[in-house]
Amino acid sequence: MNVAVIMKQVPDTEALIKVAPDGSGYVKEGVKFVMNPYDEFGVEEALKNKESAGAKEVTIVSMGSERAVEAIRTGLAMGADKGVLLKIGENEYTDAFGVAKALAEELKGGDYKIIYCGKQAIDDDMAQVGPMVAQLLDIPCVNVVTSVELSGDKAVCTREIEGGKEIFEVSLPAVIACQKGLNEPRYASLPGIMKAKKKPLDIKDVKLEGAKSEIAKWEMPPERPAGRIIEGDDPAAKAAELVKALREEAKVI
Amino acid sequence: MAKEVLVFAEQRDGALKKVSFEMVTTGRKLADQMGGECAAVLVGDGVEGIAAELGKYGADKVFVVEDAKLKNYAPDLYAQAVAEVAKDAKILLGGASAMGKDLLPRVAARLETAMASDCVKFDLDGDALLSFRPVFAGKAFVTIKVTGSPQIATGRPKVFPAEENAKAGAVEKVSVSLGDAKAVLKETKIEAGDRVDLTEADIIVSGGRGMKGPDEYKILEELVDALGATATVGASRAAVDAGWRPHGDQVGQTGKTVSPSLYIAAGISGAIQHLAGMGSSKYIVAINKDPDAPIFSKADYGIVEDLFKVVPEITSEVKKLLAE
């Protein structure tokens, strides 16, 4: 059985995001790019499948600019076997549907039993690609998954819902969209990093179909007006003052 | 009937989710602006009886798809049913709940259109829907215009008002021929405890690295208990990574993005990814010993103090106030 991981390169969570003055996008200069944190759980789970569930090969499939090669190499250094980059220009845009179409087209021929992905990318926060790819491939998807048990041609997955969990059984192939808590992603070892340089990484130019949506405008969040520091002689006085403010000014308790 | 705006109405175990009323109210307003009709689609088994509730919030018509196969949430079958009803709608809205986030991308792919997720504001440009939504967990915002049809969007729970409307809806049954579910729900486990989920809470009391350990969260839980049934406990990434709290409690860019009326951050310094996740809270209170903690720049009210001394005092003040 072969396993694929859909991966996106995104700005690090520590990155300060600045919107370009003309509202056309965000400023990429000086931003550190990393593997989407939720996709790391997918890579780790795929590697575990290789170690204990008989998966033969782990392929990382990413869509993005040439720069995304770095993130694919990170996955290869963790232990994945090969990578595919569906390459688009740095400023070329498509939406989640366009990404899902290109990924589904690529994944179709791969005979993958499981396709892992993150539950969302932490840049656009759309959380669409996993279920869209599953729909386009006409296979099941379990989303926001915190545990996976494989047995033969089936997987039992636990997913998070409001205030609880749902347990789904799916037949493979399936898309599994990973949530924090699924596993602890390993770090790339130094020998892993050395080996990754020699692993196959296929770069394919993709012709984007017309997107079905556009980003009309980027904006910075509204500034919050400066608040006030609650003063008082002791903790009890400060607490009383705060509770009074929350009751009388903010009217939230 | 024309379906200018169609709203996916989510139910679980025969009870409609509050976000469904929020989205019907939102859909009603958009339909009025367009001079069109607002309908809802309700999917399940034996759910016709609750359809009228949607009418109260402004649905002119509720399309009900009932089938024994739809008793439990089945992503592929629900997508088929919703897509069938939505294919000639101009706009399809749903809640950005666990179900909505899973279902509507499948519906969009089925109908070969795009969507905007987890929006916090909608507007119209003619018949085109403009969806305003956070990216990078709120570090920036974008306005999305879907050019495909239908224009699909999900709205973040608790952001849009749910208002009862004088217009009462009719109910129309729709039958869809369904295959077998590819993903089968075996069990739903609702966690013990009566606290609301972070994404549905009105008040969140979060603890960070300053909590020093898992047992100390007791003082936050006592405050939450005093604040009532709509309050719950959250945590920063540092606290979750230290193993003090389950990851489901995490607020921030790799956790949950929340919009409560009141967010109390105790012992949280305010890493940028945390600030992003709670920045859309209506009121923010920061409690930290360090007067230079970045969290104070986001807070409406700040208390520079040892949280272990001040939080129990806040709890007793709240108890006193609410006992009055």
Side-chain angles (χ1 to χ4, degrees):
Chain A
M1 122 173 146
N2 289 330
V3 178
V5 184
I6 298 174
M7 190 275 296
K8 184 178 187 184
Q9 192 191 38
V10 297
D12 188 83
T13 54
E14 302 298 324
L16 271 170
I17 298 300
K18 269 191 242 141
V19 169
D22 66 353
S24 64
Y26 69 96
V27 178
K28 290 179 181 156
E29 285 79 50
V31 170
K32 185 185 164 203
F33 284 87
V34 297
M35 182 188 296
N36 176 39
Y38 292 112
D39 299 346
E40 285 183 27
F41 302 118
V43 174
E44 177 62 33
E45 202 62 21
L47 296 174
K48 281 166 75 179
N49 291 164
K50 214 177 126 173
E51 286 155 5
S52 60
K56 281 210 277 296
E57 197 174 62
V58 174
T59 305
I60 294 180
V61 183
S62 186
M63 185 170 184
S65 72
E66 187 93 46
R67 183 179 10 83
V69 163
E70 298 160 13
I72 297 177
R73 292 268 182 227
T74 304
L76 298 177
M78 286 168 76
D81 299 289
K82 59 180 192 180
V84 179
L85 174 64
L86 305 178
K87 197 182 93 177
I88 57 170
E90 177 70 54
N91 295 315
E92 223 175 329
Y93 173 78
T94 188
D95 51 28
F97 181 67
V99 174
K101 268 202 115 159
L103 287 168
E105 198 55 42
E106 170 64 27
L107 291 162
K108 210 158 57 180
D111 193 27
Y112 299 111
K113 275 284 184 209
I114 308 179
I115 298 167
Y116 289 106
C117 62
K119 64 150 188 164
Q120 72 189 68
I122 60 147
D123 54 356
D124 62 28
D125 291 332
M126 281 289 218
Q128 295 176 5
V129 165
M132 279 183 169
V133 165
Q135 182 63 53
L136 293 169
L137 295 174
D138 201 20
I139 60 175
C141 170
V142 195
N143 214 340
V144 199
V145 167
T146 54
S147 104
V148 180
E149 281 169 50
L150 299 178
S151 62
D153 253 6
K154 288 197 182 320
V156 174
C157 303
T158 303
R159 82 182 211 99
E160 275 182 5
I161 59 166
E162 293 89 355
K165 296 180 169 81
E166 281 179 340
I167 297 164
F168 272 94
E169 184 180 276
V170 291
S171 52
L172 303 179
V175 172
I176 295 176
C178 307
Q179 162 71 320
K180 188 169 184 171
L182 176 61
N183 53 42
E184 278 297 325
R186 68 196 66 188
Y187 287 102
S189 64
L190 192 58
I193 293 166
M194 299 309 289
K195 270 191 227 162
K197 292 179 182 163
K198 291 182 194 136
K199 288 181 178 173
L201 201 166
D202 198 2
I203 299 177
K204 299 180 180 177
D205 284 311
V206 214
K207 180 102 185 74
L208 287 179
E209 288 184 51
K212 303 277 189 179
S213 65
E214 61 192 55
I215 301 180
K217 192 166 69 172
W218 282 76
E219 288 167 78
M220 289 306 282
E223 281 288 324
R224 290 188 85 96
R228 76 176 160 102
I229 296 291
I230 305 266
E231 306 287 354
D233 292 338
D234 55 30
K238 290 178 188 176
E241 182 61 26
L242 172 72
V243 171
K244 188 166 170 248
L246 293 178
R247 178 67 153 199
E248 291 169 11
E249 292 171 18
K251 300 187 170 69
V252 285
I253 56 173
Chain B
M1 184 194 94
K3 285 172 275 194
E4 271 77 11
V5 182
L6 180 71
V7 179
F8 167 68
E10 173 180 345
Q11 59 83 23
R12 282 186 186 269
D13 295 325
L16 283 156
K17 295 280 266 189
K18 187 162 174 273
V19 71
S20 304
F21 302 134
E22 295 166 5
M23 286 301 107
V24 169
T25 302
T26 306
R28 172 79 262 159
K29 288 177 185 167
L30 292 171
D32 286 345
Q33 269 178 272
M34 295 163 81
E37 291 185 305
C38 171
V41 53
L42 178 61
V43 177
D45 186 33
V47 293
E48 194 183 346
I50 56 172
E53 284 182 58
L54 296 160
K56 279 193 231 161
Y57 290 86
D60 294 309
K61 185 170 263 188
V62 183
F63 295 95
V64 179
V65 186
E66 289 188 313
D67 194 305
K69 289 175 180 173
L70 302 171
K71 184 172 191 333
N72 291 324
Y73 176 50
D76 43 339
L77 300 188
Y78 271 51
Q80 189 191 340
V82 173
E84 188 60 40
V85 180
K87 64 187 178 201
D88 53 354
K90 282 187 182 154
I91 292 174
L92 171 64
L93 298 181
S97 58
M99 191 189 286
K101 280 180 174 171
D102 184 52
L103 174 68
L104 289 170
R106 275 199 91 112
V107 173
R110 243 192 130 85
L111 295 173
E112 305 234 306
T113 185
M115 65 174 286
S117 301
D118 206 19
C119 304
V120 295
K121 199 169 85 185
F122 294 113
D123 211 342
L124 285 171
D125 176 12
D127 274 1
L129 180 70
L130 299 176
S131 302
F132 185 70
R133 59 180 301 274
V135 288
F136 297 100
K139 289 178 187 172
F141 284 80
V142 292
T143 303
I144 305 255
K145 199 172 178 174
V146 175
T147 47
S149 177
Q151 307 173 73
I152 305 183
T154 54
R156 178 175 292 185
K158 293 192 62 67
V159 170
F160 299 89
E163 291 160 10
E164 290 204 28
N165 192 296
K167 296 190 186 184
V171 175
E172 180 176 320
K173 282 201 153 197
V174 179
S175 90
V176 176
S177 157
L178 301 163
D180 287 326
K182 291 191 175 73
V184 179
L185 180 65
K186 291 291 186 191
E187 197 186 345
T188 303
K189 291 184 186 170
I190 296 302
E191 268 141 30
D194 47 359
R195 289 203 183 108
V196 287
D197 189 72
L198 278 176
T199 55
E200 296 177 332
D202 265 331
I203 302 178
I204 296 172
V205 182
S206 263
R209 205 189 298 273
M211 295 307 296
K212 294 184 180 148
D215 299 338
E216 321 300 337
Y217 274 81
K218 196 171 77 237
I219 63 166
L220 301 191
E221 278 163 5
E222 284 164 0
L223 175 54
V224 160
D225 289 341
L227 287 165
T230 59
T232 198
V233 177
S236 72
R237 176 174 165 178
V240 170
D241 286 352
W244 302 345
R245 297 299 291 183
H247 62 88
D249 283 3
Q250 187 183 325
V251 173
Q253 204 176 356
T254 51
K256 288 174 177 151
T257 318
V258 297
S259 318
S261 309
L262 173 60
Y263 188 90
I264 301 178
I268 291 177
S269 63
I272 185 165
Q273 74 122 308
H274 188 81
L275 297 178
M278 46 68 102
S280 62
S281 304
K282 200 161 162 216
Y283 284 94
I284 295 170
V285 173
I287 302 166
N288 205 301
K289 270 194 299 201
D290 174 10
D292 298 323
I295 187 90
F296 285 118
S297 71
K298 282 266 182 174
D300 300 281
Y301 302 104
I303 295 185
V304 181
E305 186 63 74
D306 180 351
L307 73 95
F308 296 104
K309 288 184 184 148
V310 79
V311 171
E313 296 288 353
I314 297 171
T315 306
S316 80
E317 283 295 327
V318 169
K319 279 187 187 158
K320 241 193 289 175
L321 177 77
L322 298 182
E324 275 168 19

